[in-house]
Amino acid sequence: MGAPGQDIDDFLRYARVERQLSAHTLEGYGRDLARLAQWCATMAIPGWAALKPAHLRQFVAAVHRGGLSGSSIQ
């Protein structure tokens, strides 16, 4: 695994080429993954491999407290 930014770029490239997702969907995925990567850095989580389900629950709770609706988080 590379740096979070590179991993995100690689995933978005895969989603665009292999899954043929729309530009709008890719933009949303990119924004959400960047937000998650920033949160991980703030929480001193060293990389995607160290991310646990409990961390994801904490992240979802944090973005919900920040005003994002449940349907947007999904």
Side-chain angles (χ1 to χ4, degrees):
M1 280 192 186
Q6 183 61 50
D7 288 341
I8 292 169
D9 290 344
D10 290 346
F11 171 76
L12 293 175
R13 188 179 306 78
Y14 158 79
R16 179 176 40 83
V17 173
E18 298 295 328
R19 303 223 16 238
Q20 299 181 356
L21 297 180
S22 73
H24 181 74
T25 298
L26 293 170
E27 182 181 312
Y29 281 5
R31 182 179 50 248
D32 294 343
L33 289 169
R35 182 182 290 161
L36 176 58
Q38 179 59 46
W39 182 85
C40 287
T42 300
M43 300 301 289
I45 298 168
W48 302 122
L51 198 56
K52 306 291 183 213
H55 295 131
L56 291 174
R57 287 190 293 276
Q58 290 173 334
F59 171 72
V60 167
V63 296
H64 186 66
R65 281 192 306 273
L68 206 56
S69 71
S71 60
S72 294
I73 293 169
Q74 285 181 346

